[in-house]
Amino acid sequence: MAVLARPCTLLLVCSFVLVVAVVAQPVPPNFVTIQPGKFSKRNYEIVCQDKNKKKPGCQVSCPSKCPDECVVHCPSCKAMCMCDLPGQVCGDPRFTGGDGNTFYFHGRKDMDFCLLSDPDLHINAHFVGKRNSAMNREFTWVQALGILFADHRLFIGVQKTVTWDNDVDRLVITFDDQPVYMQTEEKARWASSSSPALSITRTKMANGVVVELEGKFMIMVNAVPITEEDSRVHNYGVTPDDSLAHLDLAFKFYSLSDDVHGVLGQTYRPDYVNKMDVRAKMPVMGGAPNFSSSNLFSVDCHVTRFGRGAAADVAVV
C-alpha cells in the first residue's frame, strides 16, 4: 500500500464498499474519485461494480487473514484488510500515521489520551486493557472516542460485553450528551439538526458506522471483540467474563493546521520527524504523559491545540 501523507485515506467495510486509491509521492497525495459499489459476500467474495455501470466491475476475495471484513480498490480489483490501510487505529492500538508509518502506542488502561488536537478539532480516546503478568506488560485497546468541535461534544463507544454476538449492536453514540438513535439496518442515516454538517451512517446492521463532519473528517468505526484466537496468538489472557470489546477505527481528515498534535495528529505535521525505529517488528511511540487527558472531553493534555487561534472561531454549519 502506498505511503500516505495529508489527508489520510477513507475506508469503508465490505458491507458498504468504497473505492480507495492512494498515490505515494508528494504531499498531498493524488486521490482517485471515491465511489460506492454494490457487493455480495459469500466465502469472502465481493463484487465491485461501477455505480454508473459503465464498467463491468470485478470479483475478488478478501485476504484470508482478514477477520471479518476487507476494503476493495475496485479499479485494480485489489482487496486489503481494513487494518492494513493508512489512517487506521486497530487492535492493541496499532496506528498508521499521516507519514505512512505504522507504530504502537500502548498508553494505560482506564485512562484517556489525546489522539488529535487542532484549533478547531480535538479527539480523545479512552483505553481499556488487561495486564499479562507473565509478560510484565499491559495490553490496551481503544474503547471510546470523545470528539470536540465548535461547541459540540460527540461520544462514540462500545459497551462492555461478556459474550459477543455480531448481530447485537453494542455501539453507544451521544451528541451534546443526548443519545443518538438509529435504525438497525445497513445505510440507516442520522443527521444532526443543530449541526447539519454532522452525519452518521450505518455500514452494517450492527456495530459499524461512518461518522462524517463535512469539511473536517470522516471516521469509520467498527466495534469488535478479542476472540479466543486473538488471545491465544498474542497472549492476551482473555477470560470468559469480558470479551474486551473495543473500536477499530479509520480516519480521513479534510483540513488540519500545520500545528496539529496528538498521538496520531502529530504525524500529519509538515515538520514531523519520525524518531521510531520503523524497521522494528513493533515500533512503539512513547511519551504517554504528553498525551494524557484528565477525562474523555478534556483538552488539558500537554500538547493541546484546541481553542487556540482564529481557526477555532470558524462556525461549523
Side-chain angles (χ1 to χ4, degrees):
M1 187 65 188
V3 174
L4 179 67
R6 304 173 55 187
C8 76
T9 305
L10 166 66
L11 313 178
L12 273 182
V13 294
C14 293
S15 55
F16 186 49
V17 176
L18 282 190
V19 178
V20 181
V22 184
V23 177
Q25 307 295 338
V27 181
N30 179 20
F31 287 92
V32 171
T33 302
I34 296 172
Q35 298 178 340
K38 295 182 180 179
F39 77 97
S40 65
K41 183 176 179 183
R42 292 184 296 274
N43 298 322
Y44 290 131
E45 288 184 342
I46 302 161
V47 176
C48 290
Q49 185 176 350
D50 188 295
K51 71 175 182 178
N52 297 318
K53 300 185 179 179
K54 293 181 180 179
K55 299 178 181 179
C58 61
Q59 184 167 313
V60 295
S61 295
C62 287
S64 59
K65 66 178 181 178
C66 299
D68 295 303
E69 302 153 340
C70 67
V71 290
V72 182
H73 177 215
C74 288
S76 62
C77 284
K78 291 184 178 179
M80 294 151 284
C81 301
M82 184 198 79
C83 290
D84 287 342
L85 294 175
Q88 55 77 25
V89 179
C90 288
D92 178 16
R94 184 184 73 176
F95 291 73
T96 298
D99 62 345
N101 287 310
T102 295
F103 63 92
Y104 289 79
F105 177 81
H106 300 305
R108 295 290 299 275
K109 71 175 182 177
D110 302 324
M111 291 184 64
D112 303 299
F113 295 92
C114 166
L115 297 191
L116 183 142
S117 190
D118 217 20
D120 58 354
L121 177 64
H122 190 94
I123 303 175
N124 285 337
H126 180 74
F127 284 26
V128 293
K130 186 172 182 62
R131 173 166 289 279
N132 185 323
S133 56
M135 298 182 67
N136 195 32
R137 63 156 291 194
E138 197 170 74
F139 297 107
T140 53
W141 297 270
V142 173
Q143 182 266 338
L145 294 179
I147 302 172
L148 296 163
F149 63 93
D151 57 349
H152 298 296
R153 296 157 48 112
L154 176 64
F155 170 88
I156 308 165
V158 57
Q159 296 172 312
K160 181 176 179 179
T161 307
V162 175
T163 303
W164 186 264
D165 183 339
N166 285 329
D167 296 326
V168 177
D169 192 41
R170 305 299 290 171
L171 283 174
V172 177
I173 304 173
T174 67
F175 182 60
D176 291 340
D177 302 319
Q178 297 301 311
V180 171
Y181 298 108
M182 300 180 67
Q183 293 181 321
T184 53
E185 61 184 38
E186 186 184 328
K187 300 183 183 179
R189 186 176 184 273
W190 173 90
S192 168
S193 57
S194 59
S195 181
L198 178 68
S199 66
I200 303 172
T201 305
R202 285 197 185 273
T203 57
K204 48 190 175 181
M205 292 178 63
N207 300 310
V209 296
V210 169
V211 182
E212 182 173 17
L213 180 63
E214 236 176 87
K216 289 306 298 179
F217 65 74
M218 183 177 282
I219 308 172
M220 187 188 78
V221 181
N222 274 345
V224 295
I226 294 297
T227 65
E228 290 183 9
E229 180 65 8
D230 290 335
S231 183
R232 183 190 67 79
V233 170
H234 299 289
N235 295 312
Y236 291 145
V238 172
T239 52
D241 62 329
D242 188 357
S243 66
L244 288 172
H246 60 279
L247 301 178
D248 281 349
L249 304 158
F251 294 88
K252 177 176 182 175
F253 299 108
Y254 299 113
S255 59
L256 294 173
S257 78
D258 290 346
D259 193 39
V260 64
H261 220 301
V263 176
L264 181 64
Q266 65 184 313
T267 67
Y268 291 90
R269 295 170 63 103
D271 61 353
Y272 175 68
V273 177
N274 185 350
K275 298 180 180 179
M276 293 173 285
D277 183 0
V278 296
R279 296 167 298 179
K281 184 178 180 180
M282 289 182 61
V284 176
M285 178 181 287
N290 289 327
F291 308 110
S292 176
S293 295
S294 58
N295 66 63
L296 195 58
F297 285 105
S298 286
V299 293
D300 57 0
C301 65
H302 182 70
V303 299
T304 189
R305 271 40 178 178
F306 189 69
R308 299 181 183 178
D313 298 326
V314 175
V316 179
V317 295

